[in-house]
Amino acid sequence: MSKVVLQAKDRQKYGSAESRRIRRNGRIPAVIYGRSGKSVSVDLDSSEFVKSTKGISESTIVKVEVGEKSYDAFVKGTQRNIIDGNILHIDFYEVESGVALRAKVSLVFQGNPVGVREGGMLETPLHEIEIECLPVDLPERIEIDISNLKANQSLHVRDIPLAKSIRLLSNPDQTVALVKFAKAEAAAPAAAAAADAAAPAAGAAAAAPAAAAGDKKAAPDKEKK
């Protein structure tokens, strides 16, 4: 996938009133935060940003061009209007070429597991992992083939194939995907329900002889009177 390039304008005025003016003109106020603590205030065309960044992940590096300068950065956050969903503000985080960075990368599962075809249920409790690498080696997403996953088998973080240039930061023992055998799980509640239904019937049968015995003991008392 080619790198997303965004055209931005340097922003010299600040404040709520200025931000509202920018939005009325169809643009979005934004800040590019640098690794050294410095920041650059800019604004971007709203339509261009939405169209260009559609489908990107949190680990996608975009290029923001501001006049003759350009910044490679992550889209670290977007503030939206709670009523109409329009973007009110964007935070970018600059990355430096040749300097290792830490990022969370989304996991994309591919294939229909063998265990699911046999009646099991697939669970994917983990949807991203944290890694460290150079910006040039950072993947937008990590694809995992789970088609060979059988019933009662699980896949862990340590099983994910990564390039040698990428260092894993997440716990390697975390479960990424597993297949539970649904038929066995369904049988247990059914058996429990059958046992519960049988219990009242057995209790009623045991109570009948006791009631009959009580009637026999009551009869001699009437004869004494």
Side-chain angles (χ1 to χ4, degrees):
M1 180 178 179
S2 58
K3 182 176 291 186
V4 174
V5 179
L6 301 170
Q7 301 295 329
K9 292 181 179 180
D10 191 19
R11 183 160 54 100
Q12 298 297 333
K13 296 182 180 180
Y14 313 99
S16 299
E18 178 63 16
S19 294
R20 287 194 293 269
R21 186 193 67 79
I22 291 173
R23 297 186 192 105
R24 285 197 298 270
N25 291 330
R27 301 182 68 81
I28 308 171
V31 175
I32 305 172
Y33 293 96
R35 294 176 61 89
S36 60
K38 296 182 179 180
S39 61
V40 179
S41 296
V42 299
D43 62 75
L44 308 92
D45 182 85
S46 178
S47 299
E48 180 195 359
F49 177 81
V50 172
K51 181 179 179 180
S52 299
T53 59
K54 185 177 181 180
I56 70 171
S57 67
E58 293 182 3
S59 59
T60 302
I61 297 177
V62 302
K63 183 180 290 293
V64 184
E65 295 185 344
V66 186
E68 296 181 355
K69 295 182 179 180
S70 65
Y71 303 86
D72 287 337
F74 293 120
V75 179
K76 292 300 292 183
T78 55
Q79 179 185 348
R80 292 179 178 271
N81 186 310
I82 60 174
I83 298 176
D84 56 24
N86 290 332
I87 299 175
L88 301 176
H89 190 273
I90 307 166
D91 285 335
F92 294 98
Y93 183 75
E94 184 186 9
V95 298
E96 296 180 33
S97 177
V99 178
L101 56 84
R102 294 185 175 189
K104 291 183 178 179
V105 182
S106 300
L107 303 177
V108 179
F109 301 98
Q110 296 183 330
N112 186 20
V114 173
V116 171
R117 298 197 297 270
E118 293 175 347
M121 292 189 300
L122 174 67
E123 294 185 5
T124 54
L126 196 64
H127 299 283
E128 63 181 16
I129 60 172
E130 187 174 11
I131 62 173
E132 183 180 67
C133 64
L134 294 174
V136 68
D137 297 320
L138 181 65
E140 289 190 26
R141 55 186 60 84
I142 297 175
E143 298 179 351
I144 304 174
D145 184 6
I146 57 173
S147 57
N148 292 325
L149 199 61
K150 298 180 181 179
N152 299 321
Q153 281 189 341
S154 58
L155 185 72
H156 299 86
V157 170
R158 60 177 175 270
D159 301 319
I160 299 175
L162 296 174
K164 293 182 179 180
S165 57
I166 297 175
R167 186 166 75 93
L168 178 66
L169 298 179
S170 294
N171 184 346
D173 296 325
Q174 283 183 287
T175 300
V176 174
L178 70 155
V179 176
K180 289 186 176 180
F181 204 64
K183 293 181 179 179
E185 292 182 352
D196 292 341
D215 291 343
K216 290 181 180 179
K217 290 180 181 179
D221 293 337
K222 292 181 179 179
E223 291 178 358
K224 288 181 182 180
K225 290 181 180 180

